[in-house]
Amino acid sequence: MPASTAPEAPPVTPQTSNPGPPSAPGPQDAQTAPSTPSSRGADTRALTQVLFGQLKELEPGSPEHGRVRGALIEANLPLVRYAAARFRSRNEPMEDVVQVGTIGLINAIDRFDPERGVQFPTFAMPTVVGEIKRYFRDNVRTVHVPRRLHELWVQVTGATEDLTTTHGRSPTTAEIAERLRITEEEVLACIEAGRSYHATSLEAAQEGDGLPGLLDRLGYEDPALDGVEHRDLVRHLLVQLPEREQRILLLRYYSNLTQSQISAELGVSQMHVSRLLARSFARLRSANRIEA
């Protein structure tokens, strides 16, 4: 522990130069006063106020200014850890989340004005949380989610927390939709978007459930898919034929009639039907843009 924080030393001032880690209680303090979360929070707020008073009197960029600024960052790191704990469900290393939140803390320290009469934690928390959310939005997701859907998902999450506190249970989709004045389909889409952070390989084995990879669980390959392009091409070519030839082709290949049945249907000879079919095929081949 630096000498400036020892019990017999005078308090840290801009002239004595080492605010050091004065937030940490000395050995004698630990024996005389029990440490509780509320007392630690009060000590941190008091220390933060003193350090900001010192920081205001120092020249930016000077070594003394840097030391006081560093002490402010260290003293308020618990605020960052508290904000980062809200994002434990994102399956990201907490060290990374805390590091990103610390950037927001530093930005808040550089912009804070003690003369406004606002407590520093109140001022800093939105900046810290905003920096963490920006990190998840821009750096973590490998699955692109539309910005409007992502912003709506934030509202859905907030409404879910409020309704859970109000009713003492998890809210239904209808209750969330009524609270935000959106449809239930939009609520479900937001919830699904909120879970979409990482793309999973189709060949990766599923952890925990003992099932094969997603690729092995997909449906079989439909052989009719190969005919989609051919049917679209035939539809495009058929409209170029005369109406009677279109009907003959439909009767032959869609109704599965024989040439004899077609001749009886149209009242023409079977030979004439055969010639019309041959002529239609020749026209279709000449108009086929793929073979051309």
Side-chain angles (χ1 to χ4, degrees):
M1 179 176 296
S4 60
T5 59
E8 63 274 13
V12 178
T13 63
Q15 289 75 25
T16 56
S17 89
N18 192 2
S23 58
Q28 298 177 0
D29 295 335
Q31 297 175 0
T32 58
S35 177
T36 63
S38 58
S39 64
R40 288 196 299 269
D43 292 343
T44 300
R45 288 192 295 271
L47 175 62
T48 298
Q49 186 176 1
V50 171
L51 291 175
F52 269 117
Q54 297 178 8
L55 194 69
K56 183 179 179 181
E57 303 297 329
L58 298 174
E59 180 70 24
S62 65
E64 186 67 20
H65 184 278
R67 282 193 290 269
V68 176
R69 183 170 176 263
L72 272 169
I73 296 171
E74 183 178 352
N76 288 277
L77 281 178
L79 179 71
V80 177
R81 297 189 185 96
Y82 173 79
R86 298 169 52 183
F87 299 87
R88 289 188 181 278
S89 61
R90 304 293 183 85
N91 296 323
E92 277 295 303
M94 288 307 298
E95 294 81 3
D96 294 348
V97 180
V98 170
Q99 185 176 14
V100 173
T102 304
I103 296 175
L105 173 65
I106 295 172
N107 293 334
I109 290 174
D110 292 339
R111 300 200 322 262
F112 181 64
D113 184 1
E115 296 182 356
R116 290 189 175 184
V118 179
Q119 290 288 335
F120 177 70
T122 304
F123 174 83
M125 182 60 79
T127 304
V128 173
V129 174
E131 195 70 33
I132 295 175
K133 287 182 177 180
R134 189 177 302 108
Y135 167 73
F136 279 102
R137 185 191 68 200
D138 299 337
N139 301 98
V140 174
R141 287 185 182 272
T142 58
V143 179
H144 174 71
V145 176
R147 186 178 183 86
R148 176 188 174 277
L149 196 59
H150 177 76
E151 293 175 348
L152 194 58
W153 171 72
V154 175
Q155 299 179 29
V156 168
T157 303
T160 302
E161 295 176 355
D162 294 342
L163 291 172
T164 300
T165 303
T166 302
H167 300 303
R169 58 172 175 81
S170 298
T172 63
T173 303
E175 290 172 339
I176 299 174
E178 182 180 1
R179 178 70 171 268
L180 298 177
R181 297 181 180 179
I182 59 178
T183 64
E184 294 185 32
E185 289 75 13
E186 288 178 304
V187 174
L188 294 174
C190 290
I191 295 174
E192 188 66 26
R195 298 169 179 167
S196 303
Y197 278 92
H198 302 283
T200 302
S201 172
L202 292 177
E203 299 179 354
Q206 301 300 295
E207 298 181 359
D209 54 12
L211 296 176
L214 293 175
L215 185 62
D216 297 328
R217 292 190 281 168
L218 293 177
Y220 62 88
E221 183 177 353
D222 189 350
L225 290 176
D226 296 334
V228 172
E229 183 178 357
H230 295 280
R231 287 195 296 271
D232 180 69
L233 176 61
V234 169
R235 186 181 301 108
H236 169 75
L237 297 175
L238 280 177
V239 297
Q240 304 179 32
L241 297 175
E243 184 177 352
R244 185 170 66 169
E245 294 184 22
Q246 290 183 34
R247 187 180 180 189
I248 291 175
L249 287 174
L250 292 174
L251 292 173
R252 178 69 184 89
Y253 294 101
Y254 286 86
S255 300
N256 294 322
L257 299 183
T258 65
Q259 293 187 12
S260 300
Q261 293 171 327
I262 295 174
S263 64
E265 176 78 17
L266 300 181
V268 297
S269 66
Q270 180 179 346
M271 183 63 67
H272 189 53
V273 170
S274 179
R275 286 197 297 267
L276 289 176
L277 283 172
R279 186 169 65 182
S280 300
F281 293 149
R283 290 182 177 178
L284 292 177
R285 291 191 183 95
S286 62
N288 186 343
R289 61 179 182 270
I290 294 180
E291 292 185 358

